[in-house]
Amino acid sequence: MDDEAIIDLYWDRDEKAIRETHNKFGRYCHSIAYNILQNRQDAEECVNDTWLRVWDAIPPQRPGRFLAFVGKITRNLALNRLEAYGAQKRGSGQNELIFDELAEVLPAPGHEARIVEEIVLTKVLNGFLAKLPPETRIIFMRRYWYLSTVREIARDLGVGESKVKMTLLRTRNALQQKLEEEGIVL
Amino acid sequence: MRENQLLRALGQVDEVYITESAPRRRQPLLLRVAAAACLFAGLVGVFSLVQHGSQSIPLQLSSPGIRARYVKDDEALARLPRAAMYSSELISPSTGQPSRVLRGTVHNVQNLEIDFGEVKHYLAAAEIEVWKDIDRAAAADANITVLLPGPVLPAADDLFAQLDRGTEVLLLLHEYRSADVLQVEGRVLRLDELAEFGLFKGSAGLFLQTDAGLRFDVSSYPGLSETMSLEEIENYFRKIQ
C-alpha cells in the first residue's frame, strides 16, 4: 500500500492504518529505536508508541514524506527514553562513541537558550547539509540521525570503514567551522 | 547535555535528507546472489577501466585550488625523481614524541597525488587494521588511515615497498589536528583531510614483520640492530614512553 493510501486510512480513522504502517515502516522504525536504545524490548515499545503518536497526529496533519514523519517520531521517543534512563544507560553500546564525536563539535549553551538554539542550529544544519556532496551527506546522516555503526554504513554504501570514518571526521571538522562562522561559539 | 542538543536539532532537519539517507532494506541472500551474478559480467568490463583510472578526494577545509586524488599508475610514479618524492618532514613533526604507537596489519595502500597548481606532491595512504595500542591498556580494534611521506612503489628498494596487504606492522604515529598543514605556493592543505595520522619521522616510524624477517630503519635505531621481532620493538617503546 502506498503512503497516500495509508494516510487516507488515518483520515478515515480506520484502525487498519496502524497495521499497514507497521507492515511498511515497522522494521525501519525499530532499527532507529534500537540504534538509540540498544535494547530490543525498549525499541519495540518505542515503535508501538510511535503508532499511537501517528494516530493522534493524523489528522489534522498530512505528512508529505511519511517515512521521515514516522522516523522522526520514533527517534524523538527513543531519545526521550534514553534521556529518562540518564547518563548511565547512555554509556551502553556504541552510542557513547557517537555522543563523544558530537561533543567535539558543539558548545554547551545555557538551559534557557535551548529552544532558540535548537531552531537556529537546525537552520544552520539544513544549510550545511545542502552543501555537502550526496554521499558525504548520507554518511553523516546515517551516523548522526540514524545512529548507525560505521560498519553498517560501510556495508550499506559498499565502501571501506576507513573511508566512512575519514568522511565523518572531515564533515565534523567542516561543521565545527560552519558553526563558528555562524557565531555559534565553541 | 550539549551533544543531546545537537542530536535533537539534527532530528528536525529537512525531511528530504532523512528520506535520502534511510537505510535500504536488505534483500534476501538468494536475491542478492542472483543480482550479483547478473552484474558480474558488466563489472568485469568496468574493472579494467577503473584499474587505470583515479579517484579524487574531496577537500572541504583546505585552500581552494588544491586537488588530491588516488593514483594507480605505478610506472609513471617510478619515473619521477626519487629525491623529490619523499618528504617526511612535511607530513609530521621532525622533533618531539609520536602521539601514538600502534600495532596492526596492513589492509590497503594507495598512492596520492596532491596538485597545488604548479607543484605536485606524491604521498600514499595506508589503511591499517589496528589491534593493539601500546600506550593504552585497552585493546584497540579499528581501522585507521596513515599518511606516508612518499608513494609506495612495489619495485623500489625501501621499507615502504614492503607494505603489502597482510603485513604486520608497528607504527609510530603523529595524530593530525587542524594545525597540521602542508603549505605550498600560498595554499594550505589540511592533512587531517587526507588521513587521521601521519607516519612519525618518515621511515623511522615504520617497523615491519615480513616473511624475510623484521625490517626497519636500522640507521635510526642502531641500538636495536640485533632485534628479531616486533614484540621486542614493542617492549623497547614501552620502556622509553
Side-chain angles (χ1 to χ4, degrees):
Chain A
M1 187 176 280
D2 68 31
D3 294 357
E4 281 298 315
I6 297 173
I7 292 166
D8 284 343
L9 290 175
Y10 280 102
W11 274 82
D12 294 341
R13 307 313 288 161
D14 186 335
E15 291 184 5
K16 269 197 321 191
I18 293 178
R19 192 169 64 242
E20 292 296 338
T21 311
H22 183 83
N23 289 343
K24 189 160 186 181
F25 299 112
R27 186 187 292 232
Y28 166 74
C29 290
H30 187 275
S31 73
I32 293 170
Y34 183 78
N35 283 352
I36 293 169
L37 294 163
Q38 302 284 298
N39 180 291
R40 295 202 183 283
Q41 189 180 340
D42 283 346
E44 279 171 24
E45 288 172 11
C46 247
V47 172
N48 289 332
D49 290 346
T50 300
W51 308 148
L52 292 177
R53 293 293 180 96
V54 175
W55 180 259
D56 289 341
I58 310 173
Q61 293 190 59
R62 190 163 192 104
R65 294 176 185 274
F66 199 31
L67 176 140
F69 182 80
V70 296
K72 280 164 76 172
I73 292 173
T74 304
R75 187 177 186 275
N76 281 333
L77 288 170
L79 286 175
N80 289 347
R81 192 174 281 235
L82 190 68
E83 274 185 2
Y85 283 140
Q88 186 183 359
K89 183 80 174 181
R90 197 196 80 169
S92 63
Q94 56 114 10
N95 288 343
E96 185 66 6
L97 189 57
I98 293 179
F99 280 96
D100 287 347
E101 290 168 7
L102 291 176
E104 295 170 8
V105 176
L106 196 71
H111 181 70
E112 65 282 359
R114 177 182 171 127
I115 293 173
V116 173
E117 286 294 339
E118 268 187 26
I119 292 168
V120 172
L121 201 49
T122 300
K123 189 177 173 189
V124 172
L125 286 168
N126 273 328
F128 175 75
L129 290 169
K131 290 181 179 169
L132 291 178
E135 187 183 60
T136 302
R137 184 167 59 231
I138 289 169
I139 289 173
F140 184 83
M141 288 290 286
R142 281 294 303 272
R143 182 67 170 161
Y144 301 116
W145 202 96
Y146 288 99
L147 278 72
S148 300
T149 64
V150 168
R151 180 166 294 180
E152 286 166 348
I153 299 168
R155 181 198 64 200
D156 291 352
L157 272 62
V159 299
E161 289 182 38
S162 183
K163 178 177 178 178
V164 172
K165 286 171 60 184
M166 277 308 299
T167 302
L168 290 170
L169 178 67
R170 289 174 187 143
T171 313
R172 285 199 305 273
N173 287 341
L175 176 58
Q176 189 178 35
Q177 192 176 27
K178 174 74 175 171
L179 294 177
E180 285 175 348
E181 285 169 7
E182 296 290 334
I184 297 174
V185 181
L186 291 176
Chain B
M1 284 176 288
R2 57 185 185 159
E3 54 272 28
N4 257 354
Q5 191 189 5
L6 181 52
L7 270 183
R8 294 282 189 182
L10 196 58
Q12 301 307 315
V13 296
D14 195 318
E15 292 183 350
V16 172
Y17 305 136
I18 301 168
T19 307
E20 171 192 59
S21 55
R24 300 283 174 253
R25 195 169 175 170
R26 285 171 72 77
Q27 292 175 321
L29 182 63
L30 190 62
L31 280 178
R32 277 187 277 149
V33 169
C38 290
L39 285 172
F40 180 72
L43 287 175
V44 166
V46 171
F47 181 71
S48 60
L49 291 174
V50 172
Q51 279 286 294
H52 298 288
S54 63
Q55 185 189 349
S56 65
I57 301 167
L59 300 175
Q60 293 166 346
L61 303 173
S62 303
S63 301
I66 303 174
R67 287 183 299 171
R69 64 185 186 113
Y70 294 111
V71 288
K72 295 185 177 177
D73 192 346
D74 292 340
E75 288 182 13
L77 288 173
R79 289 195 293 272
L80 293 167
R82 295 189 62 70
M85 289 196 296
Y86 290 91
S87 46
S88 61
E89 73 280 3
L90 295 179
I91 66 155
S92 70
S94 55
T95 58
Q97 294 292 317
S99 40
R100 302 282 281 277
V101 183
L102 302 175
R103 287 186 64 178
T105 306
V106 177
H107 185 68
N108 187 26
V109 180
Q110 287 182 286
N111 288 324
L112 295 170
E113 181 187 82
I114 318 295
D115 186 350
F116 289 91
E118 295 291 316
V119 178
K120 288 179 180 173
H121 278 271
Y122 291 91
L123 307 168
E127 193 177 325
I128 307 292
E129 188 178 344
V130 177
W131 40 267
K132 189 188 274 186
D133 183 337
I134 76 165
D135 298 331
R136 300 177 185 187
D141 181 14
N143 279 22
I144 59 167
T145 307
V146 177
L147 198 60
L148 306 178
V152 172
L153 304 173
D157 180 25
D158 59 33
L159 281 178
F160 301 114
Q162 298 174 59
L163 279 169
D164 297 321
R165 184 184 174 92
T167 304
E168 196 180 323
V169 292
L170 183 147
L171 302 170
L172 310 187
L173 299 174
H174 172 70
E175 187 167 8
Y176 286 139
R177 305 286 181 199
S178 57
D180 292 302
V181 296
L182 182 54
Q183 205 160 352
V184 177
E185 295 181 319
R187 290 177 170 151
V188 178
L189 171 70
R190 283 269 298 258
L191 293 172
D192 59 356
E193 292 209 273
L194 298 180
E196 296 149 286
F197 297 94
L199 196 62
F200 188 69
K201 293 186 181 177
S203 60
L206 178 60
F207 300 80
L208 308 102
Q209 190 73 56
T210 71
D211 293 341
L214 186 66
R215 294 285 180 267
F216 62 99
D217 182 359
V218 180
S219 63
S220 297
Y221 306 95
L224 296 175
S225 58
E226 301 297 317
T227 308
M228 301 294 286
S229 70
L230 283 181
E231 281 67 31
E232 290 174 78
I233 299 289
E234 179 185 327
N235 289 334
Y236 168 77
F237 283 108
R238 276 188 194 284
K239 283 178 191 167
I240 66 170
Q241 285 287 325

